[in-house]
Amino acid sequence: VTDPLMGTISDRTRSRLGRRHPFMFAAFIPASIFYVLLFTPKIEWGLSQSHLFIWMLVCTTFTRVGMTLFEVPHRSFGAEIIKNYEGRTLLFSWRELITWVAAIGNAFMGYFIFFRSTPDYPYGQLNPEVWFPFALAGGVFMALGMLYSTISTTQYIKDLSTWNGPISLKDIFNEISIAISNRSFLIFFAGNLTLSIAWGLSNSLALYINTDFWELPGKLITIFLGIYITSTFIAFYLTPRLVKRFDKKKLVLLCIFGTAFFSPIAFISYNLGLTPEKGTLSLIFFLSVPLIFISCFSVMGNMTRDSMIGDIADEVELTSGRRQEGVLYSAVSFIQKVNTAIGGFVAGLVLKIVEYPKDNPTYEQTYSLFFVQGVVGPILLAIPLFIFFFYKLDRARHAKIIVELNATN
């Protein structure tokens, strides 16, 4: 609910700070505070499972609301200030790069500072006492990052369009219906949604598989962070260059196929007896080979798809005469929540079906999770691959749209 509402309000806001920045300035308060509160409860508080659920529900909800206040206007702002087909890809490649560097940096901080192995907790991430200081540090960096991005982009507020249409409830619904009924948008939304569900399922099981199936201690798992950061920079280098050579649709299809192709390699290799001994550095290096391809294709896909919404906004403007990036990018923000929510929910169902215990799972239970990640997840990627095949807004079509918009304006 908050995503389309935020998109609608942002598109129609008139203020001295434009239609995006007022919300970006306010976002850091709920996002950072409730993120920290999420990790605050302690065992000695004696909270019941019901109380913990309510606490998590409230804190997670308001953290997400804060992120919505920032994410939707921030993405919309980027798509609006650059209308070039290739330039948008470069801009959103930068955005994705910074997002990944921040996320991986947060993980580095966790594993190397807060989640270090101790005699009592060989797997440092299982130590309940370190999560609050970890969250506090993350909350501070989150707030600083949001404020810096917001303040440093105020110079471009003058380049944004101003909403001059009606703001009645009836007219709002009519214009939103025009935006979300756009054929390119419907294909994009369905493809992104199914992709997020498949990807979210695999990601939600990764920690269980690394810890319980592969028997990797925290200090070895941190090596994967180097793979993620390397993949992100490779993707950042390749994506703008590949978009110059291919249409975005072709690159998205390549990224989905590449992810699906490399995802089962660890599972197949294990069943063929090709993987090194569990819990070893050799295993880390072995798993890193397919992982660098999986991560690279995933990040390249994110960079490309983020820029596609800006192209769709141009097409919608040609149809409706209104710039509605906020409404359209609210779908991207919504899909990110789906990635976490439905992916986590389905992963939770898998854990329940296999009766996964809190401690000491059996080999059969951990192997079942490995099967879901290595076989079921890649098969599910066939659905978004099929859907994106029908996306038609290519470079030539977008160039014609820009010509017509310029002539109209």
Side-chain angles (χ1 to χ4, degrees):
V1 175
T2 58
D3 295 307
L5 181 62
M6 183 68 257
T8 302
I9 294 174
S10 177
D11 283 338
R12 290 158 177 79
T13 294
R14 299 169 182 168
S15 76
R16 184 175 60 86
L17 290 173
R19 57 179 185 163
R20 311 299 183 192
H21 282 69
F23 309 102
M24 292 162 60
F25 270 116
F28 82 95
I29 299 173
S32 58
I33 291 177
F34 283 97
Y35 172 77
V36 174
L37 289 176
L38 180 63
F39 298 93
T40 300
K42 297 182 178 294
I43 296 175
E44 51 266 29
W45 290 7
L47 297 179
S48 66
Q49 290 297 310
S50 298
H51 290 152
L52 284 173
F53 172 77
I54 294 172
W55 184 286
M56 288 184 61
L57 179 64
V58 171
C59 292
T60 302
T61 299
F62 280 98
T63 300
R64 291 294 186 181
V65 169
M67 294 306 299
T68 296
L69 284 171
F70 184 82
E71 282 285 321
V72 175
H74 192 258
R75 277 192 164 101
S76 304
F77 172 80
E80 192 172 356
I81 60 174
I82 294 183
K83 296 183 179 180
N84 178 272
Y85 186 82
E86 297 170 358
R88 274 200 184 116
T89 305
L90 179 59
L91 177 64
F92 280 93
S93 294
W94 271 106
R95 188 186 189 281
E96 189 74 13
L97 173 68
I98 294 171
T99 300
W100 273 88
V101 168
I104 296 170
N106 191 55
F108 264 109
M109 180 178 66
Y111 281 110
F112 284 102
I113 298 177
F114 297 100
F115 302 153
R116 289 177 296 181
S117 300
T118 65
D120 293 332
Y121 293 97
Y123 300 100
Q125 63 269 32
L126 301 181
N127 183 355
E129 297 300 322
V130 301
W131 281 94
F132 175 74
F134 169 70
L136 185 61
V140 170
F141 284 117
M142 183 191 304
L144 292 175
M146 287 181 169
L147 285 173
Y148 175 78
S149 179
T150 303
I151 294 171
S152 63
T153 54
T154 53
Q155 59 183 307
Y156 300 104
I157 292 176
K158 64 182 185 301
D159 299 326
L160 301 182
S161 58
T162 302
W163 185 266
N164 56 10
I167 310 182
S168 68
L169 193 60
K170 178 182 178 181
D171 291 320
I172 287 175
F173 279 115
N174 286 338
E175 288 165 359
I176 290 176
S177 67
I178 293 174
I180 64 177
S181 61
N182 176 275
R183 182 180 184 276
S184 299
F185 174 76
L186 291 174
I187 292 173
F188 176 89
F189 183 82
N192 242 23
L193 182 63
T194 52
L195 177 61
S196 291
I197 293 173
W199 193 239
L201 171 61
S202 297
N203 284 345
S204 297
L205 297 175
L207 180 61
Y208 295 98
I209 294 169
N210 287 336
T211 303
D212 296 332
F213 183 80
W214 292 123
E215 300 175 8
L216 296 172
K219 64 181 180 180
L220 289 184
I221 292 177
T222 56
I223 296 176
F224 287 145
L225 299 179
I227 299 299
Y228 293 135
I229 195 68
T230 301
S231 301
T232 301
F233 277 99
I234 293 174
F236 173 74
Y237 176 82
L238 290 176
T239 303
R241 288 164 174 79
L242 291 176
V243 167
K244 288 183 179 179
R245 187 167 184 176
F246 305 103
D247 279 323
K248 295 177 184 179
K249 166 190 168 179
K250 293 179 180 178
L251 185 54
V252 167
L253 292 176
L254 173 65
C255 290
I256 297 174
F257 177 80
T259 302
F261 178 83
F262 285 98
S263 291
I265 287 181
F267 181 83
I268 295 171
S269 299
Y270 174 78
N271 284 281
L272 292 176
L274 301 177
T275 54
E277 184 180 351
K278 291 183 178 182
T280 62
L281 183 61
S282 299
L283 176 63
I284 290 286
F285 290 142
F286 185 90
L287 296 176
S288 294
V289 175
L291 181 60
I292 197 168
F293 285 97
I294 295 169
S295 300
C296 188
F297 279 120
S298 176
V299 177
M300 286 172 57
N302 289 344
M303 292 174 173
T304 307
R305 293 194 308 276
D306 258 12
S307 70
M308 290 166 74
I309 281 288
D311 303 335
I312 296 172
D314 294 330
E315 190 174 48
V316 170
E317 183 185 9
L318 185 64
T319 304
S320 67
R322 302 280 185 265
R323 298 285 319 173
Q324 298 195 70
E325 288 95 345
V327 170
L328 297 172
Y329 271 105
S330 68
V332 178
S333 181
F334 170 78
I335 289 170
Q336 285 185 324
K337 293 180 176 64
V338 169
N339 190 338
T340 303
I342 297 185
F345 175 74
V346 176
L349 288 180
V350 172
L351 293 173
K352 185 174 182 180
I353 290 172
V354 302
E355 299 180 344
Y356 207 81
K358 181 180 179 180
D359 300 305
N360 301 319
T362 65
Y363 169 79
E364 289 74 16
Q365 290 169 324
T366 58
Y367 183 83
S368 297
L369 301 189
F370 191 30
F371 176 83
V372 172
Q373 185 193 58
V375 178
V376 177
I379 290 176
L380 290 176
L381 290 175
I383 300 175
L385 187 68
F386 174 78
I387 293 174
F388 272 111
F389 180 80
F390 296 96
Y391 185 83
K392 301 298 183 183
L393 183 51
D394 57 14
R395 187 193 316 272
R397 167 62 180 157
H398 184 260
K400 292 180 181 178
I401 290 172
I402 295 300
V403 170
E404 293 184 45
L405 287 175
N406 290 337
T408 301
N409 295 332

